[in-house]
Structure formats: C-alpha cells, structure tokens
Amino acid sequence: MDDRDAALMRAHEHATAWLDSLGTRPVPPQATVDDVVAALGTDLPDGPTAAPQVVDLLATACGPGLTAMPSGRFYGMVIGGSHPAALAADWLTSAWDQNSALRTVTPAHTAVEDVTSAWLLDLLGLPASAAVGFVTGATTANFTCLAAARGEVLHRVGWDVRHDGLTGAPHVRVLVGAERHESVDLALSYLGLGAPEVVAVDDQGRIDVPALADALAGAPVPGTPTVVVLQAGNVHSGAFDPFAAAVEVAHRHGAWVHVDGAFGLFAAASPTYRHLVAGYETADSWATDAHKTLNVPYDCGLAIVADPVPLRAAMGMHGDYLIQSDAGDPLDKVPELSRRGRAFPVWAVLRALGRSGVADLVDGFCRHAAAFADGLRGIDGAQVLHDVVFTQVCASFGTDERTRDVVARVLADGTAWMSGSRWHDRAVLRVSVSSWATTDADVRASLGALARASAV
Ligand SMILES: *Cc1c(COP(=O)(O)O)cnc(C)c1O
C-alpha cells in the first residue's frame, strides 16, 4: 500500500472509531486547548513525515479535545448532525477536489448543483425560477441575499452601487425584528449599511406587523430604498414571523423582503409544520443552512434569491482567463470564486431521505423538542418560557443564578450538551434538537441528567 492509500485507510479507521464512540463517550470535550497543543507539539519539523503517521498524530492528539457534536445528545446552539450519506459524499468531495466555480469546467458538480437546487426549491415551496447559491453558512447566505437586495433597491432609484459605491448613495433603510439573529447585523455591516432599524416583537419573538407597518409608513422620504428582514425560526423560542401579513405590508411599501431561516426554513418541507412559513414564498430572498436542519457536515449554507438578475448583478464576476458559460456560472451566485463542491453532500442527503424522509427528519426534531418541554415542565422549579412550536426549547429554573448552576452541572455531568443564554432579560437553558441521530432514549437520558442537575 502506498502512502496515499495508507493515509486514507488510517483516516477511515479513525473516523469510524470516532463515530462508534459517540454513543458512550461524554458529549463535552475531555481536554483543553492547552492539552491538545501539548499533544500535537509546537515545533514545526525540519523535514517531512509520512502521511499515515501525520493522520495518526492528528487523530490521537485531537481525540480528547473533540466535542461530540454529531452525538444524539448534543443540543447546543443550533448544530446539525451529519447524515451518513452526506458525510460519505463529503469525503468524496474532498477526494474529487473540484473547484466548482465554473459551469463547464466541472460538469459533474454543476449537474449535481442544478438538480439539488431544483429539489430544494420544490421541497421548500419556493419559486422554481429562483437562484440558489451554495455558500459556507447562513451568515454568508444572509450577506449574499442582502447584497442582492442592496443592489436592487438602489437600482430602482437609479443608483448603481457596484459601480458607484455607497459614498453619496441614497440612504437604504433596513428594518429588522428585535430578535433577528446577530448575523444579520454582521451581514449589514459587511455591506456598509450600518445598524438596522429595530421593529418591536411579541412575547414569542415574532415581528409585530402593525409596528412594521408604522415603521414603513414613517419613512423620512417617501420612496426611500428599503429592505425588511424577517425570520423563520427564532434561536430561543423557535418562533416564526407572520410572513403573509409582514411580506404584504413590506411589498406595499416597495421593500425587498429577506427571510433568515437558517434552521427554520425546512419547516416548509414538512406537511405538519409547513403552516409556520405560510406566505413566506412571496418574499424576495431566503437564507438557510444545510449544515443545521438538513444534517450535512460543515460547512454549507444556501442563499436563495427569487430573481436571479440582482443576485448575478451583486455576485457575478468576469475574468479573461476564466472559461465562462453563457448559461451563467455557479460563481455568479456566491461571494467566493474558488470553492469546494458543496452541492455533493446536499444532493446525497436529499437522495437518501427522499421527500418523506426530509419531512420525517423535521417532524422528529419537533417531536423530541416537545418531549423535552414536557419533561422540563415535570422538573420541580423548571419553567418552559415560550410556546414550543418547532425545534427549540428555552427554560428557566427560577433565579438566574440557579439556572446558570443547572446549565453548569448538566455540562459537568457529560450526558448531554446544552447551552445557556439570556432571553427576555433572564438566564435560560437552551435546548436545540437538530440531529438525525437523536433518539427517544437520548431525550430520556438527557432529561435524566437535567433532573439530576436541578435536584442539587
Ligand atoms: C445559525 C444561525 C445563523 C448563522 O448561521 P451560520 O451557519 O452559523 O453562519 C443565522 N440566523 C439564524 C436564525 C441562525 O440560527
């Protein structure tokens, strides 16, 4: 066996050993950053080392410092697992090493991207003519969609932002709900649009439509270029903005409507939960992640824009040395030029699950979240702080101090990983169910850990 095959074999063995360990190992890491640095060693060797040995060293040194994020008992932030078909396709993606920027240079990836895009638009109930860009995550997807939005609303008032920049441009208003994800603000900052105007939300974190209507009507100059950002899936409550009414009023004022649905957009793929996004298909752009609800490995986000023209106007580029296609190239839809073949794992998970499998995946997360809420309500002193409508559950254990103590004790217990946060001015425990690997037994074991942590 040559070095290449031996290295790949070793990687395969380490990978399966890691995946096999997920059922029994503690979910939190068992080593600190300093521990792992010490195990790796810090001296850059003067000469070469054989690839299989390098793989062994990496796996051995990193093992204790790995967090069991693909475990069925990881509920922190919003972290999807890795479906086996997507994980295996991701390995192939690295082996194939396709730079997927150009349509005709890498036809296999372009074909898969085209087929996958059509499947996604169908599953999500979005316009079949929309453009889909495969980016690194929802932050970049928000940026990409909002770049198209910025260009288009300025174009409508006769300003070419690509050519003339923002200096001296008409002011662009951006309205967001008070509980939008912080990555929206980051994307706006990348775009030079500054801090958004904040619209009030209700007790679940949903944008208040009359307040949005008032804000829109209060434009300092009528006809001001305006973008409204709505949300499908609040990271604390899981709540969805009332899309039909919000999009209608925003469009009445000529605004571009963008939806941040990093994990919530896939509610649309479930007949049971589709009602949560009713009316969202009339928006102008949507951002989501494939590495959250859809369970492909990091990293993969999707930037979807109903009208491909403003997206291409914002993202397209020309290079004399590039072999570009009249049909448009994948690079026209994303901020990057070179990028990996991100569509391969997305195709694989969709092909493996099928339409009903994607719906079952979403329904399963929601069923487990509801079980968490029920279990938490049965724990003395615990209180679920919102309507549990999707995959997120936030709870308090009384005082902020007690809640923080319970979160710390659950992490120390090691059965499950859940994050603390602050929501509506109080400390909370957050549970996000986002992995295909989570079972009823995982939820029971994790509730057991919560009961132990709060019994102290
Ligand atoms: C996770 C998340 C994001 C950011 O997504 P990344 O993939 O981490 O860039 C944006 N919006 C919402 C609602 C999220 O949950």
Side-chain angles (χ1 to χ4, degrees):
M1 205 187 296
D2 65 10
D3 250 24
R4 183 199 66 198
D5 285 356
L8 288 175
M9 193 70 78
R10 296 301 296 141
H12 180 263
E13 285 164 12
H14 288 298
T16 48
W18 156 252
L19 296 172
D20 288 345
S21 77
L22 292 174
T24 46
R25 67 183 281 136
V27 185
Q30 304 298 301
T32 64
V33 173
D34 288 344
D35 296 338
V36 178
V37 168
L40 287 168
T42 52
D43 291 338
L44 177 64
D46 287 331
T49 309
Q53 241 174 292
V54 172
V55 171
D56 282 343
L57 172 61
L58 182 69
T60 320
C62 289
L66 294 174
T67 304
M69 286 187 169
S71 145
R73 284 171 279 104
F74 189 93
Y75 311 106
M77 286 74 84
V78 184
I79 304 284
S82 285
H83 187 280
L87 173 58
D90 200 62
W91 287 5
L92 274 181
T93 304
S94 289
W96 286 339
D97 198 20
Q98 303 287 289
N99 183 331
S100 58
L102 297 167
R103 184 164 197 89
T104 54
V105 176
T106 50
H109 186 265
T110 306
V112 169
E113 188 173 299
D114 286 354
V115 170
T116 307
S117 299
W119 284 357
L120 285 165
L121 295 172
D122 178 27
L123 280 173
L124 296 172
L126 296 177
S129 52
V132 183
F134 289 71
V135 296
T136 51
T139 302
T140 313
N142 280 328
F143 164 76
T144 305
C145 293
L146 290 168
R150 181 188 67 168
E152 176 61 16
V153 297
L154 283 169
H155 171 73
R156 288 181 198 155
V157 294
W159 188 270
D160 178 353
V161 73
R162 184 127 184 192
H163 187 267
D164 297 322
L166 281 176
T167 307
H171 174 62
V172 177
R173 293 187 84 193
V174 183
L175 305 178
V176 301
E179 293 192 18
R180 82 284 180 194
H181 192 272
E182 287 77 1
S183 67
V184 169
D185 298 55
L186 185 62
L188 294 170
S189 136
Y190 294 161
L191 289 162
L193 293 176
E197 296 176 47
V198 177
V199 177
V201 294
D202 68 11
D203 61 339
Q204 306 295 312
R206 294 172 296 215
I207 202 163
D208 182 275
V209 177
L212 175 63
D214 283 351
L216 286 161
V221 181
T224 300
T226 303
V227 178
V228 171
V229 180
L230 302 177
Q231 179 165 260
N234 175 300
V235 288
H236 288 104
S237 67
F240 291 68
D241 283 345
F243 293 110
V247 178
E248 194 273 325
V249 69
H251 277 170
R252 200 155 10 99
H253 286 86
W256 175 294
V257 181
H258 172 66
V259 178
D260 173 12
F263 66 93
L265 218 65
F266 284 92
S270 157
T272 312
Y273 292 94
R274 190 169 289 158
H275 66 94
L276 292 169
V277 296
Y280 91 139
E281 66 283 355
T282 55
D284 300 285
S285 60
W286 306 263
T288 191
D289 269 318
H291 60 220
K292 288 181 180 170
T293 309
L294 203 52
N295 277 229
V296 309
Y298 289 100
D299 45 28
C300 187
L302 303 162
I304 307 174
V305 182
D307 179 356
V309 174
L311 180 61
R312 192 171 180 174
M315 295 293 151
M317 67 165 272
H318 171 78
D320 285 332
Y321 74 104
L322 300 174
I323 302 156
Q324 292 186 264
S325 163
D326 292 338
D329 288 292
L331 68 80
D332 292 328
K333 299 179 285 183
V334 297
E336 299 90 359
L337 178 54
S338 297
R339 75 192 160 114
R340 69 194 270 101
R342 280 206 187 85
F344 292 131
V346 182
W347 178 87
V349 72
L350 294 176
R351 184 66 178 77
L353 291 173
R355 196 182 293 278
S356 68
V358 177
D360 289 347
L361 186 71
V362 173
D363 293 357
F365 298 167
C366 296
R367 187 168 56 78
H368 292 315
F372 265 112
D374 283 347
L376 279 162
R377 288 187 196 103
I379 293 175
D380 207 26
Q383 187 194 356
V384 175
L385 299 173
H386 56 90
D387 302 337
V388 177
V389 296
F390 199 53
T391 56
Q392 312 294 108
V393 183
C394 266
S396 156
F397 291 82
T399 64
D400 284 1
E401 197 189 349
R402 176 140 197 276
T403 301
R404 280 194 288 263
D405 284 349
V406 172
V407 173
R409 280 195 292 268
V410 168
L411 287 180
D413 176 280
T415 305
W417 205 106
M418 302 170 184
S419 40
S421 182
R422 272 198 90 68
W423 191 52
H424 293 182
D425 241 0
R426 59 201 293 195
V428 297
L429 165 90
R430 278 182 74 250
V431 177
S432 171
V433 186
S434 310
S435 176
W436 70 281
T438 298
T439 62
D440 291 343
D442 286 326
V443 176
R444 274 197 303 277
S446 304
L447 281 166
L450 276 168
R452 285 194 294 281
S454 62
V456 178

